[in-house]
Amino acid sequence: MSIASGAPGTVGAVDVEDAPLYVVGDVHGHLDRLEAALRDQGLIDDEGAWTGGAARLWFLGDFTDRGPDGIGVVELAMRLAEEAAEVGGSARMLLGNHEILLLGVYFFGDHPVPVAGGATTFREIWLRNGGLQWDLDRFTHAQAQWLASQPVAAVVDGYLLIHSDSNAYLEYGSTIEDIDAEVADLLRDPEPLPCWDLFRNLTRRGAFMGDSGADAAADLLGELGGRHIVHGHTPIPYQTGEDPATISGPRVYAEGQVINLDGGIYLGGPCLVARLPLQERRTVVSGADDETLAMVYDIDDDPAYG
């Protein structure tokens, strides 16, 4: 069953360009708040049409689940990709764990998958992670093909863009090109268990926190390139213990090597859209770092997982 067309231009590192670079953190179905954040940056107008000109926009993944209109977010991203390209800009995305889970439940909904202590199904894990039947009912094969053709990592202007704060990407290759090509092959003719393993790997988190976090970040940058890692996946409030309503911008940590753009939107935090390089780097040091080092699954019945 082929679900990815291997669309050209979706794999590998991206050259530095003389155009503004914007990155979007996790959206989780909050379409209205995403549109408001993009408007604030001058990237779309009141009708949601692209106004960013030659700007480059990257979504870090997790479009769906936990919010009211995940498929609306997918539709917006697909349309902006076309509109931006028409005027010399670009709007692109990276796959997050929730995109992999959505593809899994779409194609293998009731197929059993292994978890600690037994087995469950893609559908059960999707529901436990905030999956909405409303989104699944609207999800089309064309949307599935588009999502499955997107990369999981890119280097842009010296920034290593990934969804998860994890080194699990190295399980799929030792270069950006190899990793994206391996994932594209996996999703082009998917089998249930490799798809499940990809989801599990992209749910890992916390690799760049704690005493060894800066070294882990430096190691990943040394392997894949770039000077700074930019990720989403782990809400900033989980890292710092802050009230989500007080989050006002990205978090810079791991001795300045890592930027977190997940404002915790489904917890009440902001939808973060940041222009890189950051004008003001917000660094928070908190003992909460160590609490997420062992997280593997993104499962909703445990409040520690986001």
Side-chain angles (χ1 to χ4, degrees):
M1 178 191 326
S2 178
I3 66 174
S5 61
T10 61
V11 174
V14 176
D15 291 335
V16 174
E17 301 178 40
D18 185 19
L21 173 63
Y22 296 85
V23 183
V24 185
D26 299 38
V27 181
H28 286 295
H30 292 81
L31 176 62
D32 291 347
R33 295 170 66 186
L34 169 63
E35 290 178 326
L38 293 174
R39 281 195 297 271
D40 287 345
Q41 295 284 3
L43 295 170
I44 64 172
D45 61 20
D46 289 342
E47 285 70 47
W50 178 259
T51 55
R56 294 162 296 154
L57 177 66
W58 280 85
F59 295 93
L60 296 180
D62 278 9
F63 283 171
T64 64
D65 307 334
R66 301 198 173 104
D69 195 2
I71 299 306
V73 176
V74 174
E75 292 170 344
L76 175 65
M78 293 177 70
R79 178 168 55 78
L80 291 181
E82 295 181 357
E83 292 179 0
E86 289 173 356
V87 295
S90 62
R92 300 181 62 183
M93 75 163 294
L94 301 177
L95 291 172
N97 57 308
H98 282 261
E99 280 76 41
I100 302 302
L101 186 56
L102 178 62
L103 292 170
V105 73
Y106 180 73
F107 286 99
F108 313 116
D110 294 316
H111 193 285
V113 292
V115 296
T120 183
T121 67
F122 278 100
R123 189 179 309 279
E124 174 61 23
I125 294 297
W126 174 70
L127 290 170
R128 290 167 68 182
N129 275 268
L132 300 176
Q133 189 62 44
W134 163 247
D135 275 345
L136 191 60
D137 290 344
R138 297 162 59 208
F139 191 47
T140 68
H141 189 75
Q143 291 166 349
Q145 287 185 312
W146 183 79
L147 283 180
S149 70
Q150 304 307 308
V152 294
V155 174
V156 186
D157 292 6
Y159 295 96
L160 172 58
L161 307 181
I162 51 179
H163 172 70
S164 305
D165 46 324
S166 168
N167 56 13
Y169 295 91
L170 296 176
E171 297 190 16
Y172 296 92
S174 58
T175 68
I176 292 285
E177 292 80 4
D178 288 347
I179 292 166
D180 284 336
E182 179 68 19
V183 171
D185 285 346
L186 186 156
L187 293 176
R188 184 171 293 111
D189 293 298
E191 295 293 335
L193 292 184
C195 185
W196 172 249
D197 286 341
L198 178 60
F199 164 70
R200 290 203 319 169
N201 285 333
L202 291 190
T203 62
R204 296 182 189 175
R205 66 176 82 240
F208 315 126
M209 296 187 291
D211 293 340
S212 61
D215 289 339
D219 288 345
L220 189 64
L221 290 166
E223 287 283 342
L224 299 184
R227 296 180 298 276
H228 303 280
I229 296 168
V230 183
H231 72 83
H233 186 51
T234 298
I236 294 170
Y238 282 1
Q239 290 186 327
T240 66
E242 295 174 271
D243 181 340
T246 68
I247 302 300
S248 59
R251 180 187 187 228
V252 181
Y253 67 106
E255 299 179 1
Q257 298 177 96
V258 183
I259 303 170
N260 184 353
L261 272 170
D262 185 350
I265 191 168
Y266 67 90
L267 302 170
C271 178
L272 294 180
V273 179
R275 181 172 176 175
L276 299 178
L278 299 177
Q279 297 303 306
E280 295 182 5
R281 292 195 170 179
R282 175 177 175 272
T283 305
V284 180
V285 178
S286 169
D289 276 0
D290 293 335
E291 296 178 6
T292 55
L293 286 174
M295 289 187 176
V296 175
Y297 294 106
D298 196 8
I299 295 179
D300 207 34
D301 61 354
D302 183 341
Y305 295 92

